[in-house]
């Protein structure tokens, strides 16, 4: 079992951390100029008219992404070569560029026609559903990614053998490609610090040709909808504790892995986790799959896709069971 050790914090704490004082510059009057050949080995800067912004590695990679320069190639160049390549791309790229920055450096590079939600809007959406002192499991903010996992104040549902089960919502956005934000219900097992993500296709935000203010409204609305289904999802997860895996647990595991295209490496950890119980249930399988996302090797934000895949595979098992139960109840009622 992999345990996550982190200090507890709240939505208020995240609001304070994510509060930004950004300014935005648009190249309507002049073009930016990158200066990598600086005196006394000072940090490179990006000149926006008469204002200079320091360039660190993350900011440089954002410029490389926007101007379509391979990052690994650019890192190997000398300062003089970087100066030439970057400014050549800037000069020969058509259209305007919008650059957001704070006193510490660049936070965003995009076209002015591509609106992007402020990170504060993710906190505001969560506050529509939960109070300020709600527990936050994860708050990731990088130039490429936003992830906010918030637990509801619902009373955790106790289980006979596995401890309490809590729930909440996950708000995310791929900021590297500036995709629409998403909201998903999450289930949380405190005893193993395991998070399970439920994918609901109905919780979809259409951000095409929509103003930023409207996207923020839809994000808050979908957060409320995700919260509304949490009781049903938690009960479905609890019910899995009554369903035994069966004698051939390895065959069952490999069947699940094949159905959901699970990565191969976590299978060993999942097998070991199941072997600790003489009569493992489907709840044991779900927790074992999702717990492998806590592996230290996946802790880096760059491994977010792999972590999320494992958590959503576990969520898919819960969702399939919930749908089967709903169909059975409908047949009985008919």
């Amino acid at each position: 079992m992999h345990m996550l050790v982190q200090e507890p914090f709240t939505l208020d704490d995240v609001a304070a951390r994510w509060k930004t004082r950004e300014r935005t510059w648009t190249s309507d009057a002049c073009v930016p100029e990158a200066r990598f050949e600086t005196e006394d080995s000072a940090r490179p800067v990006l000149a926006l008219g008469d204002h200079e912004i320091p360039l660190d590695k993350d900011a440089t990679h954002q410029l490389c992404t926007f101007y379509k320069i391979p990052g690994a190639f650019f890192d190997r160049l000398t300062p003089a070569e970087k100066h030439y390549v970057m400014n050549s791309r800037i000069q020969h790229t058509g259209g305007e560029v919008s650059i957001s920055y704070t006193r510490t450096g660049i936070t965003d590079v995009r076209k002015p026609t591509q609106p992007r939600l402020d990170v504060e809007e993710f906190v505001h959406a969560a506050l529509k559903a939960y109070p300020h002192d709600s527990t936050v499991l994860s708050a990731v903010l990088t130039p490429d990614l936003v992830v906010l996992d918030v637990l509801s104040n619902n009373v955790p549902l106790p289980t006979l053998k596995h401890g309490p089960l809590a729930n909440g919502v996950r708000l995310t956005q791929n900021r590297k490609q500036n995709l629409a934000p998403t909201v998903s219900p999450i289930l949380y097992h405190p005893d193993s610090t395991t998070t399970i993500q439920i994918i609901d296709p109905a919780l979809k935000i259409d951000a095409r040709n929509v103003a930023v203010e409207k996207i923020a409204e839809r994000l808050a609305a979908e957060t409320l909808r995700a919260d509304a289904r949490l009781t049903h999802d938690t009960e479905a997860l609890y019910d899995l504790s009554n369903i035994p895996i069966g004698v051939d647990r390895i065959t069952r595991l490999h069947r699940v892995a094949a159905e959901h295209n699970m990565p191969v490496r976590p299978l060993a950890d999942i097998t070991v986790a199941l072997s600790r119980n003489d009569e493992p249930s489907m709840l044991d399988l779900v927790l074992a799959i999702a717990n492998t996302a806590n592996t230290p090797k996946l802790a880096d934000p760059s491994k977010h896709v792999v972590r999320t895949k494992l958590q959503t595979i576990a969520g898919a098992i819960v969702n399939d069971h919930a749908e089967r139960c709903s169909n059975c109840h409908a047949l009985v009622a008919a």
Side-chain angles (χ1 to χ4, degrees), residues 67-107:
Y67 290 110
K68 298 180 180 178
I69 304 172
F73 158 77
F74 194 80
D75 289 340
R76 294 194 296 268
L77 300 180
T78 65
E81 291 169 335
K82 290 180 178 179
H83 183 90
Y84 174 79
V85 171
M86 181 63 74
N87 286 296
S88 294
R89 290 297 302 151
I90 291 174
Q91 292 292 336
H92 291 88
T93 299
E96 296 182 352
V97 57
S98 181
I99 299 175
S100 300
Y101 61 94
T102 64
R103 63 179 183 176
T104 58
I106 292 175
T107 58

Side-chain angles (χ1 to χ4, degrees), residues 166-178:
N167 52 39
V169 296
R170 168 173 290 173
L171 298 89
T172 64
Q173 186 189 22
N174 179 336
R175 293 175 76 79
K176 183 175 183 179
Q177 298 175 311
N178 198 25

